[in-house]
mmCIF file of all heavy atoms in Angstrom:
data_model
loop_
_atom_site.group_PDB
_atom_site.id
_atom_site.type_symbol
_atom_site.label_atom_id
_atom_site.label_comp_id
_atom_site.label_asym_id
_atom_site.label_seq_id
_atom_site.Cartn_x
_atom_site.Cartn_y
_atom_site.Cartn_z
ATOM 1 N N LEU A 37 -3.049 -10.614 -13.192
ATOM 2 C CA LEU A 37 -3.329 -11.213 -11.886
ATOM 3 C C LEU A 37 -2.359 -12.354 -11.591
ATOM 4 O O LEU A 37 -1.833 -12.464 -10.477
ATOM 5 C CB LEU A 37 -4.770 -11.726 -11.832
ATOM 6 C CG LEU A 37 -5.866 -10.669 -11.808
ATOM 7 C CD1 LEU A 37 -7.234 -11.316 -11.961
ATOM 8 C CD2 LEU A 37 -5.815 -9.848 -10.523
ATOM 9 N N PHE A 38 -2.109 -13.208 -12.576
ATOM 10 C CA PHE A 38 -1.201 -14.339 -12.364
ATOM 11 C C PHE A 38 0.258 -13.898 -12.261
ATOM 12 O O PHE A 38 1.059 -14.578 -11.636
ATOM 13 C CB PHE A 38 -1.379 -15.392 -13.457
ATOM 14 C CG PHE A 38 -2.493 -16.357 -13.166
ATOM 15 C CD1 PHE A 38 -3.780 -16.102 -13.607
ATOM 16 C CD2 PHE A 38 -2.271 -17.508 -12.429
ATOM 17 C CE1 PHE A 38 -4.821 -16.975 -13.327
ATOM 18 C CE2 PHE A 38 -3.304 -18.382 -12.132
ATOM 19 C CZ PHE A 38 -4.582 -18.118 -12.581
ATOM 20 N N ALA A 39 0.601 -12.756 -12.851
ATOM 21 C CA ALA A 39 1.980 -12.264 -12.796
ATOM 22 C C ALA A 39 2.277 -11.523 -11.496
ATOM 23 O O ALA A 39 3.448 -11.341 -11.143
ATOM 24 C CB ALA A 39 2.249 -11.345 -13.987
ATOM 25 N N HIS A 40 1.244 -11.104 -10.772
ATOM 26 C CA HIS A 40 1.429 -10.339 -9.546
ATOM 27 C C HIS A 40 2.195 -11.166 -8.522
ATOM 28 O O HIS A 40 1.882 -12.326 -8.296
ATOM 29 C CB HIS A 40 0.073 -9.917 -8.972
ATOM 30 C CG HIS A 40 0.178 -8.989 -7.820
ATOM 31 N ND1 HIS A 40 0.288 -9.431 -6.524
ATOM 32 C CD2 HIS A 40 0.199 -7.637 -7.765
ATOM 33 C CE1 HIS A 40 0.369 -8.390 -5.721
ATOM 34 N NE2 HIS A 40 0.317 -7.293 -6.448
ATOM 35 N N LYS A 41 3.186 -10.544 -7.926
ATOM 36 C CA LYS A 41 3.978 -11.214 -6.884
ATOM 37 C C LYS A 41 3.372 -10.934 -5.522
ATOM 38 O O LYS A 41 3.038 -9.808 -5.199
ATOM 39 C CB LYS A 41 5.425 -10.709 -6.901
ATOM 40 C CG LYS A 41 6.118 -10.901 -8.230
ATOM 41 C CD LYS A 41 6.330 -12.351 -8.531
ATOM 42 C CE LYS A 41 7.092 -12.490 -9.836
ATOM 43 N NZ LYS A 41 6.886 -13.736 -10.475
ATOM 44 N N GLY A 42 3.196 -11.947 -4.733
ATOM 45 C CA GLY A 42 2.634 -11.775 -3.401
ATOM 46 C C GLY A 42 1.116 -11.813 -3.426
ATOM 47 O O GLY A 42 0.482 -12.042 -4.448
ATOM 48 N N ARG A 43 0.548 -11.546 -2.282
ATOM 49 C CA ARG A 43 -0.906 -11.601 -2.110
ATOM 50 C C ARG A 43 -1.522 -10.250 -2.462
ATOM 51 O O ARG A 43 -1.011 -9.209 -2.061
ATOM 52 C CB ARG A 43 -1.220 -11.974 -0.668
ATOM 53 C CG ARG A 43 -2.649 -12.289 -0.416
ATOM 54 C CD ARG A 43 -2.833 -12.739 1.043
ATOM 55 N NE ARG A 43 -4.213 -13.094 1.259
ATOM 56 C CZ ARG A 43 -4.653 -14.324 1.303
ATOM 57 N NH1 ARG A 43 -3.818 -15.320 1.160
ATOM 58 N NH2 ARG A 43 -5.917 -14.581 1.499
ATOM 59 N N LEU A 44 -2.642 -10.275 -3.190
ATOM 60 C CA LEU A 44 -3.364 -9.052 -3.499
ATOM 61 C C LEU A 44 -4.110 -8.585 -2.258
ATOM 62 O O LEU A 44 -4.623 -9.404 -1.496
ATOM 63 C CB LEU A 44 -4.365 -9.296 -4.631
ATOM 64 C CG LEU A 44 -3.748 -9.588 -5.994
ATOM 65 C CD1 LEU A 44 -4.783 -10.194 -6.935
ATOM 66 C CD2 LEU A 44 -3.185 -8.316 -6.596
ATOM 67 N N PRO A 45 -4.185 -7.267 -2.025
ATOM 68 C CA PRO A 45 -4.899 -6.789 -0.836
ATOM 69 C C PRO A 45 -6.384 -7.135 -0.900
ATOM 70 O O PRO A 45 -6.997 -7.087 -1.966
ATOM 71 C CB PRO A 45 -4.685 -5.272 -0.868
ATOM 72 C CG PRO A 45 -4.173 -4.948 -2.218
ATOM 73 C CD PRO A 45 -3.623 -6.204 -2.822
ATOM 74 N N ALA A 46 -6.944 -7.501 0.235
ATOM 75 C CA ALA A 46 -8.351 -7.887 0.304
ATOM 76 C C ALA A 46 -9.246 -6.675 0.083
ATOM 77 O O ALA A 46 -8.883 -5.549 0.410
ATOM 78 C CB ALA A 46 -8.648 -8.512 1.664
ATOM 79 N N ALA A 47 -10.425 -6.918 -0.476
ATOM 80 C CA ALA A 47 -11.418 -5.870 -0.661
ATOM 81 C C ALA A 47 -11.882 -5.375 0.705
ATOM 82 O O ALA A 47 -11.995 -6.158 1.645
ATOM 83 C CB ALA A 47 -12.595 -6.395 -1.480
ATOM 84 N N GLN A 48 -12.164 -4.086 0.810
ATOM 85 C CA GLN A 48 -12.623 -3.500 2.071
ATOM 86 C C GLN A 48 -14.097 -3.778 2.276
ATOM 87 O O GLN A 48 -14.869 -3.790 1.326
ATOM 88 C CB GLN A 48 -12.373 -1.987 2.064
ATOM 89 C CG GLN A 48 -10.902 -1.622 1.964
ATOM 90 C CD GLN A 48 -10.124 -2.104 3.164
ATOM 91 O OE1 GLN A 48 -10.529 -1.910 4.299
ATOM 92 N NE2 GLN A 48 -9.003 -2.751 2.923
ATOM 93 N N GLY A 49 -14.485 -3.989 3.509
ATOM 94 C CA GLY A 49 -15.888 -4.177 3.843
ATOM 95 C C GLY A 49 -16.161 -5.578 4.358
ATOM 96 O O GLY A 49 -15.375 -6.505 4.174
#
Side-chain angles (χ1 to χ4, degrees):
L37 290 172
F38 275 91
H40 187 272
K41 302 293 183 204
R43 190 176 182 102
L44 292 164
Q48 297 297 312

